Structures are given as C-alpha cells and as structure tokens.
Amino acid sequence: MTIKQISVFLENKSGRINDVTKALAKAGINMHAFSMAETTDFGILRLIVSDVERAIVVLREANFSVVQTDVICISCPNVAGSLSVILEHLADKNIFIEYMYAFAQGDQANVVIRPTDLQRCLEVLQENKCNVLTNRTL
Amino acid sequence: MSREEMRELQGKRLHKLVDLVYHNTPFYRNKLQEMDITPDDIQTIDDIVKLPFTTKQDLRDNYPYGLQAASLQEIVRVHASSGTTGNPTVVGYTRRDLEIWKEATARCLAAYGVSRDDVFSVGYGYGLFTGGLGLHYGVEHLGATVIPTSTGNTEKHLHLLRDLKVTGLACTPSYALYLAEAMDKYGLTKEDLHLKIGAFGAEPWTENMRKEIEDKLGLQAYNIYGLSEISGPGVSYECSCKCGSHICEDHFYPEIIDPETGRVLPYGETGELVFTTLTKTGMPLLRYRTKDLTSLIADPCACGRTNVRMTRIIGRSDDMLIIRGINVFPSQVESVILEMKEFEPQYMLIVDRQGNLDTLEVQVELRKELYSDEMGTLLGLKKKLADRLKSVLSISANVKLMEPNSIPRSEGKSKHVIDYRKLK
Ligand SMILES: [Zn+2]
C-alpha cells in the first residue's frame, strides 16, 4: 500500500534541479510530484516518478546521490479542511510525520506522507477509510 | 636490555659519533663551531637536542661526497637515490657500515620468524636502490637461502616461488598485490605456493592492503622500514604483534619533532621522524629529517622487546598546513573520511582567512547510494564528521557535503588542498 519515492541530494547551486528534470525527461520518465527541502548549503529533492528503478539508474549515471524511500500517498477531496481531518486522526494515534507534501489534481488533492512508522500509519488511515493510493492507482 | 641501559649505550655512541664528524666532516665541524659546540658537550643521549638537524637539501648541496666522514679508501660501496629535482643523494658505506646494515636487516627477518630453513625471494630492485641488496645480505647473514629475483618478470617470479618452494617474499606491498593478481592469469593458487612470511616496505601501505596480501598469498605480512640516507631496509621492523615497527635504536636513534619549530615532541605525538646514525662511519648523519610523519611508542611490546616502536607513516611533512597555529596534515582528514562509509574516498581542504582568523572547510562527497533522505539524518552525518575531525585535528572545520564526483580527481596529496591564504 506504500508507494516508492526517490530523493536526490543537491548542493545549493543554481540549475541543479533543472539538471535532474532534464535527465529524467531525456529518459522519458514522468514526474508526478516533487518537493524540495533545504538548508543553507544543501537540499533534498523528493520525487514521485513514473518509473522509479529507471530514474535511480539514470540519475546515478548523471552523478547524483539518490535513495529510494517508501512513502504513503492518500487522496482526499480538494476542499478546505479535508486534510486537517486526516492529520487529526494521525495525531490522535501519535503517528509522527517526518515530512509531507501535497499536490492537487482537479477536485482531488494527493498528499505524500513519510511517517516514522509506515505500518501503523497505514492502519490508522485504513481504519478511518482514507483513500490510500498505490503506484498503480496514482 | 632495559630502557636505561639502552639510553646509556645511545649516549656513549652519540658522543663518539659527534667526535667522529667533528674531526672528519667539514660540513658538521663548521656547523658545530658556529653553534659553539664541541664533542665534549655531548655526553648523554639527552644532549642530542643541542645538535643541528640535517636535511636532504644538505646532502644535495654537498653532492657527491661532501658529508662523507670516511675517505674513499675506506668506502667499499655506494648507493644513490634519484630525486625528482636536483642532484641524486649519494651514500657511501664502509665495511663496518655494511656489517651493521646486514645485521639490522637480519634482526628484522628473525623477528618475522625467518630461520635457516627458509628460502627467501628478494623482489626488490637490485642496483643503486638499497632494497634489493639490503634484503639480500640480511637473508644471507641470517643463514636462510636467498634468491635474488629482483623486479621485472612476474611469470618467472611466480614459477620460481612454486618450483623452488620459496617460503619468504620481500618486495613492495604493491608488487605483492600485483603478484597475487597475476597468479590467476597463470593458473596458480596460493595452495600451489609455500609462502609463509612476507617482508614488505619502501612505500606506505594500509591495514587493508595487509589483509588482502595475507589472504591472497597465504602468508604473514610484516612491515620493514628504512631509507637509504640512514642505511636502507632494516631501520625498523614489525614483530608478530603487528602493532608498530620496532626501531633498531642502538644504531638509529629516533626523534619526533614539530616540523615547523624543530621542537622535540613527547612519545605518542605525531610529527616528523628524525634519525641519528649512532654507529655509522661512512656517511654518518646527525638528526636527519626524514619528512615522514609518524609517532613513537616507548611502552614495552607484548612480544617482550623493549626497543621503541614507530606507528604507521601517515604522510609527509611537506604536506603540512598550519591553521590557527595548529599543524594539520591532509592524511589525518583522509583517515577520518575513509572510516565513514557514507562518503566517497575523496576530499578537499579549503583554507582561507577571514579577518585575522584562519578558516578550514572540509568538502566531502556523498556516495551515489544516498543512505537517508531525511534532513535531520544528513545534518547529523555532517555533525558526526565535524566532531571526528575536531577530535583528530584539534581545530574545528566546517564540513560541506557535496554531490558525487564534484571534487576534482588528481594524483598526490598536495592536490587535496586549496590554500587561499597563499594567493592573497
Ligand atoms: Zn613487538
């Protein structure tokens, strides 16, 4: 029920995100979503892509440091307050979230969550009838 | 021999040595007279700090025979090492020097467990370089059988090892690895050979290389250290404990100095290794600066020997940087990075000055297999490296995490440093 995300280490220098997207585009790999986390001297670019394994090979060949991580992706109605309901469920059960990011698609919003405890998080989401996506349904 | 007895012997020999060079080497007589020192001022080994240092440049400046204390009639052999620049270094040996040298080398071999039953192949170059002939006469002196294989024909060497049931091998550690790799090609395994003992030296090597050599050749690999200016191989040797190389300090007196100030450092501290040839008569040297960086251990060894040990050579003093008044060697940084599997074995030191304060940035590359995508973990990794560097270098460094392959690759340690202070 989890989906595979790739994360790319980037030094803070201009044009590096562009280099990643160019390498993926050249290999015909689609980006569904991405988010960037930064400190003053480096950043981590997190991506949901159409072909995870190929993306890792392509990016490492281009001298990027890449790791694959399991994350949870849920879909909820793109209306005010729907995400906070879900987050409250998780907070009630003491599920700690390391990071999350969201992207909207029409009337639906997809949210990527990286909890410290993947299994517990999935259980809570399912108990509360949330729509958890897989790589196939994404 | 107890430490006190050793120091007494060293003191007596030092006095005789200073007396010898004072009367026979004009270079030293001039230096000592300038410093207002006579042989009578040197009575115990502690007086050695009064004596001047000798450098490789002194040998070049006095090329070829200027530092010789003996006449050519007494010199029976000459070795020479070529430098990349300037004159080669020429060393003349009297008959007595050769006796002492082969006795010292035989001592090393005995410590490795070599006996008269052994057959030893010497795979060092024979010639002006001291490696080949040095080991050759050591093996003979011990009474084992020597095969002067020298360098070159690898296939022939392997066949000799097999057919002559060779039990001992002396060569550079990199040549030992090369031989091991070549065995495959000629259809040989370590079971086809009879090797038990290896004496490897003449270049720095690591614990990983030792494991690989022992594994592939099926022998016990020991370090042998030496340099032609002092005599050749046989200056120091590892015992079965493999925890530092015992120095033949009755002949070669070691000191560790701060390369910048020349101050003698206590046991355990890292600095430049300096040797005084206590018993040589051909070209005796006072406090010769080897430029090798190491430290000395005076504690008794588990093997029972009481002579001082030197630790692995960690680099050359030429590479030393002075940052905020502290001596920093790129090799210290390297050793820390090699221990952390999250990083590529690459690094760059960026030294600069902001206001009156020196700054040090250590750039390291993450491996392509990034091991975490969490900010906190990566920041923690950065801090872990910074903490380790601080404990090894005694100064704090700013760690910069880099993408793989972003640090320029090149040969040699000096390319690991960019010092903007010199450019300003
Ligand atoms: Zn020992």
Side-chain angles (χ1 to χ4, degrees), chain B residues 111-112 205 207 210 214 220-223 236-247 294-305 307-313:
Chain B
Y112 308 149
W205 52 312
E207 212 47 51
R210 191 210 301 272
E214 291 188 336
Q220 292 294 312
Y222 298 102
N223 185 46
S236 74
Y237 54 92
E238 277 178 328
C239 62
S240 57
C241 304
K242 296 177 186 166
C243 54
S245 297
H246 288 279
I247 296 171
T294 182
S295 61
L296 296 178
I297 312 168
D299 303 336
C301 183
C303 72
R305 286 179 182 78
N307 50 338
V308 162
R309 284 169 286 159
M310 54 188 265
T311 56
R312 196 177 286 286
I313 307 277

Side-chain angles (χ1 to χ4, degrees), chain A residues 52-84:
Chain A
V52 175
E53 265 134 56
R54 216 168 123 52
I56 292 176
V57 172
V58 165
L59 290 174
R60 285 189 183 159
E61 266 172 17
N63 285 323
F64 285 104
S65 190
V66 186
V67 70
Q68 177 187 307
T69 329
D70 289 328
V71 291
I72 295 168
C73 186
I74 51 176
S75 175
C76 56
N78 191 8
V79 290
S82 65
L83 179 59
S84 73

